[in-house]
Amino acid sequence: MRISVIIPTVNEAENILSCLISVCNQPGEIEVIVVDGDSSDATVEKAQRLALVIRSERGRAVQMNAGARRASGEVLLFLHADSILHPSALIHVRDSLKDAAVVGGTFMLRFDVDHPILRFYAFFTRFKLSYFHYGDQGIFVRRAAFEKLVGFKEVALMEDLDFLRRLRRLGRVALVKLPVITSARRFIERGPIRQQLLNCVLVALYSVGVSPETLARWYLSKDGQNRQHRQSPRMQRPGDQN
């Protein structure tokens, strides 16, 4: 079973090699596609060492759909560039898909920062509840199911939540009991409580019908205010001593 791993990027030079190494070390037949949205740093140069790199208009959903059109695998795995796969991740994906009723799935989550609030948040990703699973945990899907859904809706925000919701209508969505390790940089910048509250507000507003475009404008305005006025303490990553 050939798996195409599709990674959208914009200015991910700091993270892309760690992500790609975790993918390329997986056993079995894989294809790795990085879809770059006009990065201004060294993302493309670094990614070309280990993956096919294609260019796309910027926008996570747009980039993931572009990667899917280029991919040749029977299974598509969409992975964020600041995430790292467990060494046995694709073995478990293939095992999950031996069940014909399973159309796709996600992984559990772990952050790259050791903080009690982030551990608490990540703990809930072991449960099969819709609002505990998002794109930063990785999303895998059978190509046939992806094409039946006509891919991701090319919206400004919540494309992952929308896709998983539609995918569940086609069949079983598996939960692989292994973590994807993902960057906590947003939580570091804002503070873990503030960022998680913001996430919850966004999901709640989306659930009652607020459009992704409106949510994106509001989120970006909050992000801009945060960058202008932030004076957050630095959270220590494992291994940092200074």
Side-chain angles (χ1 to χ4, degrees), residues 6-24:
I6 297 164
I7 305 168
T9 58
V10 176
N11 295 332
E12 289 287 358
E14 182 180 348
N15 300 300
I16 189 62
L17 281 180
S18 296
C19 176
L20 288 174
I21 289 168
S22 78
V23 173
C24 292

Side-chain angles (χ1 to χ4, degrees), residues 186 189-190 218-227:
R186 287 282 183 188
E189 289 175 357
R190 280 199 174 88
W218 180 74
Y219 181 78
L220 290 172
S221 72
K222 292 290 182 186
D223 194 49
Q225 292 169 17
N226 185 62
R227 290 179 187 278

Side-chain angles (χ1 to χ4, degrees), residues 145-169:
F146 184 84
E147 291 175 350
K148 189 169 184 178
L149 294 175
V150 199
F152 290 93
K153 287 186 180 176
E154 295 185 353
V155 291
L157 209 63
M158 300 294 176
E159 77 289 331
D160 50 355
L161 195 61
D162 169 79
F163 183 80
L164 286 170
R165 180 181 292 172
R166 291 185 291 126
L167 186 62
R168 290 184 182 97
R169 295 173 189 157

